[in-house]
Amino acid sequence: MGGVAVVPFPQRRRLGAPDLARVARLVPTGRVLLVAGAALGAAGVLYLIARETPLFAVRSIEISGVRGAAAAHVREALQPLEGKSLLALHGSDVEGRLTAVPDVQSATYDRAFPNTLRVVVVPERPVAVIRQGASAWLVSARGRVLRALPRGSARALPRIWLTRSADVEIGATVAPDEGGRAAAALATARRVGFRGHVRDVSTTGDSLVFALRSGLQLRLGDEQDLALKFAVAARILPRVVGAAYLDVSLPARPVAGSQNAQPAGRG
């Protein structure tokens, strides 16, 4: 004979008077909310006052990362910020002004209260001198024209020769076919530690050619696998004394020759 069982379900526990009192103590009172709101409002007012008063005005600018003429150019670009409140300063105020300074690749800043602006500059790295007739300019690894140079200066840097029709503007970047590719190749050579002393760089079609101070012509082909090509050239150069050229355009099949002509059979 079947039986009937009653299964009790748990019921929600009703809050008693002690529990309600505990919850009530956790809820902020109107007075607490009023005091908190007043404090926030006062802080906002003080912040606005500090922005508009000379209390935190920029009185000194500390520049690191560059020296000499480059530092002077950076300081000149930032001079209009003197007197502006550090609290009102934005990234665009600093970085925007330094974008036009040719020596600057990038920059960051920090507020040193109460009155100092600290700026850290990452400078452009010069890799070559571009030449156009009797004119000369210093150019960076990114192909940016940094400044005009007196003829014959910076002799340790390779030369990149431009056609007379090429447009050169200080602060601008030279076009790839007007020295930009050559500058980028020199930057790669420096980055991988290539120790060949480069006299000048030329481009013919898609091919890059480094003329070394030893008189040897280093033929690199296009920009593909440049780091590998420089590594291969560095190993072979000590063994090809007296050669006229070393062709590493196909790094797996380097060719050296005594005649300054394109080797046959490279395919």
Side-chain angles (χ1 to χ4, degrees):
M1 182 175 179
V4 179
V6 178
V7 179
F9 283 87
Q11 297 181 356
R12 291 183 178 178
R13 179 172 175 270
R14 295 183 178 179
L15 295 176
D19 298 309
L20 291 174
R22 190 179 302 111
V23 172
R25 286 196 298 270
L26 297 175
V27 177
T29 64
R31 182 178 179 182
V32 171
L33 292 175
L34 183 61
V35 171
L40 288 174
V45 171
L46 290 174
Y47 175 78
L48 291 175
I49 292 174
R51 279 174 57 102
E52 302 302 325
T53 64
L55 181 63
F56 297 120
V58 175
R59 293 178 184 170
S60 66
I61 300 176
E62 295 180 1
I63 300 168
S64 59
V66 288
R67 294 182 292 180
H73 295 156
V74 170
R75 188 173 299 279
E76 182 181 359
L78 297 177
Q79 189 175 7
L81 298 180
E82 293 183 2
K84 184 170 184 174
S85 174
L86 286 172
L87 294 174
L89 205 63
H90 298 287
S92 58
D93 295 324
V94 176
E95 296 160 10
R97 293 179 182 279
L98 295 183
T99 300
V101 180
D103 300 283
V104 176
Q105 179 177 325
S106 62
T108 57
Y109 75 97
D110 187 25
R111 302 176 181 91
F113 289 98
N115 305 111
T116 301
L117 173 64
R118 291 176 179 160
V119 179
V120 179
V121 175
V122 177
E124 293 279 5
R125 300 296 183 186
V127 295
V129 174
I130 54 176
R131 289 288 309 274
Q132 187 182 57
S135 301
W137 298 267
L138 194 65
V139 66
S140 77
R142 298 192 303 156
R144 191 177 190 185
V145 182
L146 304 183
R147 68 183 70 90
L149 292 175
R151 186 175 180 180
S153 59
R155 292 183 179 276
L157 291 177
R159 267 45 182 169
I160 300 172
W161 293 89
L162 304 183
T163 62
R164 291 191 176 276
S165 61
D167 187 20
V168 181
E169 181 182 350
I170 295 175
T173 301
V174 293
D177 58 344
E178 295 177 349
R181 291 171 55 219
L186 285 167
T188 300
R190 176 179 292 185
R191 176 172 55 83
V192 301
F194 179 70
R195 298 185 180 277
H197 298 290
V198 183
R199 186 183 70 241
D200 56 57
V201 183
S202 60
T203 55
T204 304
D206 292 333
S207 297
L208 287 159
V209 178
F210 279 22
L212 305 186
R213 296 185 187 276
S214 64
L216 184 135
Q217 189 183 80
L218 178 61
R219 300 172 180 174
L220 297 163
D222 59 25
E223 292 98 331
Q224 297 295 318
D225 301 318
L226 273 181
L228 175 60
K229 293 173 182 178
F230 285 125
V232 171
R235 291 181 63 90
I236 296 176
L237 280 174
R239 307 177 186 178
V240 292
V241 177
Y245 69 84
L246 172 61
D247 189 329
V248 292
S249 56
L250 297 178
R253 296 169 55 194
V255 174
S258 57
Q259 297 297 323
N260 194 18
Q262 182 69 31
R266 295 304 302 267

